């Protein structure tokens, strides 16, 4: 029996979402009676949702045609892998913001005005929700650590 690639995404979503939710449950606090949702709240919610959607997609996968893999479709995957690899050097947030900026400006070819407004909104949203409100510790990378050490002199 041949394994069909149309089942790869649903099975990967279920596995990744389950691992993500379990690791978040084990490593982060989910809810505090005084502070409300904590750093583990969103990862557990997103992981559980990913498992749920993966199961629904797995049920419907037999209706799909076998996918074709175009080189253009792998561009986002390669960019995200570069951000993951680059987080050791420049950090998670700057890497993600650079990816979003480059994607909007050079891939989607949005105007400077649209790109800058979107980037300002994205930065305020991400920093406001994940850094300030949920207090999630992001990696600073080598450059970020160097800048922090220069500031504390």
């Amino acid at each position: 029996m041949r394994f069909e690639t149309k089942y790869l995404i649903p099975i990967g979503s279920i596995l990744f979402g389950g691992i993500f939710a379990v690791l978040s449950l084990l490593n982060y606090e989910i809810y505090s009676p005084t502070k409300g949702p904590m750093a583990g709240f969103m990862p557990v919610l997103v992981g559980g949702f990913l498992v749920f959607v993966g199961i629904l997609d797995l049920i419907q996968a037999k209706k799909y045609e076998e996918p074709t893999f175009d080189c253009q479709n792998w561009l986002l995957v390669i960019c995200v892998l570069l951000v993951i690899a680059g987080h050791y050097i420049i950090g998670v947030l700057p890497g993600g913001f650079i990816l979003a900026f480059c994607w909007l400006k050079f891939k989607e070819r949005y105007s400077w005005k649209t790109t800058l407004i979107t980037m300002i909104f994205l930065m305020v949203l991400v920093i406001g929700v994940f850094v300030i409100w949920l207090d999630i510790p992001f990696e600073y990378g080598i450059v970020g650590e160097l800048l922090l050490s220069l500031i504390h002199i």
Side-chain angles (χ1 to χ4, degrees), residues 27-60:
N27 295 322
Y28 297 108
E29 188 178 358
I30 296 175
Y31 189 81
S32 168
T34 55
K35 286 184 162 183
M38 299 298 286
F41 180 75
M42 277 306 276
V44 169
L45 192 68
V46 169
F49 185 70
L50 197 55
V51 169
F52 175 71
V53 170
I55 290 170
L56 290 178
D57 197 24
L58 188 63
I59 292 169
Q60 294 183 355

Side-chain angles (χ1 to χ4, degrees), residues 46-142:
V46 169
F49 185 70
L50 197 55
V51 169
F52 175 71
V53 170
I55 290 170
L56 290 178
D57 197 24
L58 188 63
I59 292 169
Q60 294 183 355
K62 54 185 150 193
K63 299 177 188 173
Y64 301 151
E65 295 178 13
E66 196 67 23
T68 57
F69 295 104
D70 184 21
C71 292
Q72 258 321 38
N73 297 342
W74 289 99
L75 185 60
L76 181 61
V77 175
I78 292 168
C79 289
V80 170
L81 290 175
L82 285 173
V83 168
I84 292 170
H87 92 276
Y88 295 107
I89 299 169
I90 62 172
V92 175
L93 292 180
F97 293 144
I98 290 170
L99 168 67
F101 176 81
C102 291
W103 193 270
L104 289 171
K105 187 63 192 149
F106 304 119
K107 174 74 171 114
E108 297 296 328
R109 302 189 193 283
Y110 283 117
S111 68
W112 280 104
K113 180 182 174 186
T114 305
T115 302
L116 291 175
I117 290 172
T118 304
M119 288 306 301
I120 290 169
F121 176 77
L122 180 67
M123 291 169 86
V124 167
L125 182 74
V126 168
I127 292 171
V129 170
F130 294 105
V131 176
I132 296 172
W133 179 38
L134 293 176
D135 197 27
I136 294 177
F138 287 103
E139 293 283 332
Y140 292 114
I142 296 170

